[in-house]
Amino acid sequence: MAIRFNRLIPQEDPHNSCIRNYTCSFYRMCTKVQCLVWILHCIFFAACTPSLRDPNWKPQPTERMLQWFAQLNYQGYKGTTPYQLDYPDWFIGSMAVPKVNLTQEAVELGRFLFYDKSLSADSSVACASCHRQEVNFADSRRFSVGAYGRIGVRNSMPLVNLVLDKRFFWDGRAGSLEEQIRNPITGSREMDLPFSELVRRLTMHPIYPALFERAYGERKITEERIVDALAQFVKSIISYSMPEDYFRAAQDGRIPKSQIPQEFRQYWGLFQQTQVNSNCGPCHQQALQMGQNRFENINPHNSSDAGYMAVTKKKEDFGKFKVLALRNIALTAPYMHDGSVTTLREALTHYRAGRFSSNNPNDPYRDEYGNPRTDSLSKNTVDLYEKAYMVNIDRKVLTDPRYSNPF
C-alpha cells in the first residue's frame, strides 16, 4: 500500500523541491494511515475470532471431588509414591515389561483428567465419553461424538493393556502414548481445545493446582504435565482376568490347573475345542494380548483410506490398520477401523469367508494351495468361537474402582 510518489519526480530539478516536499509529506501520511488501518484490522479480527472456545467458562468441581480432596487432607508436597502395575507374573510369562515410572499421585490426577469434561471446548465430552470402562474402554457407537456434536471418522479403540504398545491410532501415526493423547484434545472432531486454554481452565480450578503440586512438586500446570498424567493413568489400566488368561497359563504350565478360578472351569472344554482350527493367534497374540504393534489389511477392497501407508509411505502398507487384541472382544462392537462390522457374529463370518485376503496367491493368509486359511471353518466352528468369546470376558477391569469415574 506504500506508494512511492517521489519516484515520479526528477530528483535533480531544483524547481520541483516544493512538489517533492509535498509528495514526501503525502507519503508519510499514507504510511500512518496504513498503520492505523492495520491496527484497526487486528482489533476487528481479534474481536471476531476469540482466542477462547468458551470465554464464560467457570470451574465447577463436583461435590464428590470436593469430598475426595477433603478426605485426602493434603498438606503440601511431600514426595511421590511409586505405582506398581497390577498383573501376576504368570500373565506376562517370559516377556519383559519395560520399566515405566508411574506414581500413585500422577495416576490419580490422570484419572480425574480422563473423566473431566472441562477438557473439551464446550465441556460436553471427556476422554471417558469415547472410551467407556464398561465396554473395555472402547465405544459402542460406530463413530464417537465430540465437542459441539461433531462426529468422528474412525471407531474409538480400546485403551486396555497399552503399556507395551509402540504405535498408536489405527494408522499408527503416533509413536508414543503421550503423542497419541495430544491429538484428541486439540482435534476439531474430538475435544477441540487448545492446550493454552486447557492450562488456563485447570489453573482457575480450586483443586487441580494442588493435585498437580501433589504429583509434580509445584502448582504450575503445563501441557507436558497434563499429557503425562493422562498417559500414566492409561498405562495403569491392565486386564489379566479373562478365563482364557488362566487357561493358557495352565496349558503352558505357568500355573497349575487347580489355580483356575472355580467359576471359569466350566469353560475349559470350550477353550480346548477352539484351539483345534484356530488361526487367530498369529495376528492377535491371544496368549499375551499386550503390546499389539502389527498392521494388516483386512479389507482389500478398501480404495479410499491409506491407513498405515500414510505413515510409512510404502505402497504395500496401503489399507493396513492396527491389529487389536481380542481382549473382551464381545463387548467392543462395532468392529474394524471404520466400525463397519456391526456384530461379533458378522466379524467371525468376515474372517471365515476369507474376505480379508487379497488376490495375491502369496498372501500370508492363504495356505499352500492358495485358499484362505479360515475358509475351512464350518458354521459349527463359527458358533463355537462366538460362544467362547461371549464368555471370555474380564469383568474385573470393567468395574475396578481404580479406573472408574471419580466424579
Side-chain angles (χ1 to χ4, degrees), residues 205-243:
H205 199 278
I207 294 177
Y208 273 120
L211 295 184
F212 274 87
E213 180 187 45
R214 180 171 175 260
Y216 298 103
E218 57 181 1
R219 298 173 71 88
K220 183 179 180 181
I221 299 175
T222 66
E223 174 182 341
E224 288 70 24
R225 288 172 178 172
I226 294 170
V227 170
D228 180 72
L230 281 166
Q232 289 203 40
F233 171 68
V234 173
K235 289 176 182 178
S236 76
I237 303 174
I238 301 295
S239 167
Y240 62 86
S241 298
M242 295 194 312

Side-chain angles (χ1 to χ4, degrees), residues 341 343-355 374 382:
V341 177
T343 66
L344 177 60
R345 181 79 182 186
E346 186 181 345
L348 291 167
T349 303
H350 173 88
Y351 288 102
R352 176 188 177 224
R355 285 199 290 268
T374 55
V382 172

Side-chain angles (χ1 to χ4, degrees), residues 1 6 115 122 136 222 237 270 282 291 329 350 389:
M1 184 173 176
N6 58 335
Y115 283 93
D122 62 349
N136 205 47
T222 66
I237 303 174
L270 181 62
I329 192 68
H350 173 88
Y389 286 132

Side-chain angles (χ1 to χ4, degrees), residues 42-59:
C42 290
I43 295 173
F44 177 79
F45 183 80
C48 294
T49 312
S51 60
L52 302 179
R53 293 293 192 274
D54 183 1
N56 298 317
W57 183 91
K58 293 181 180 179

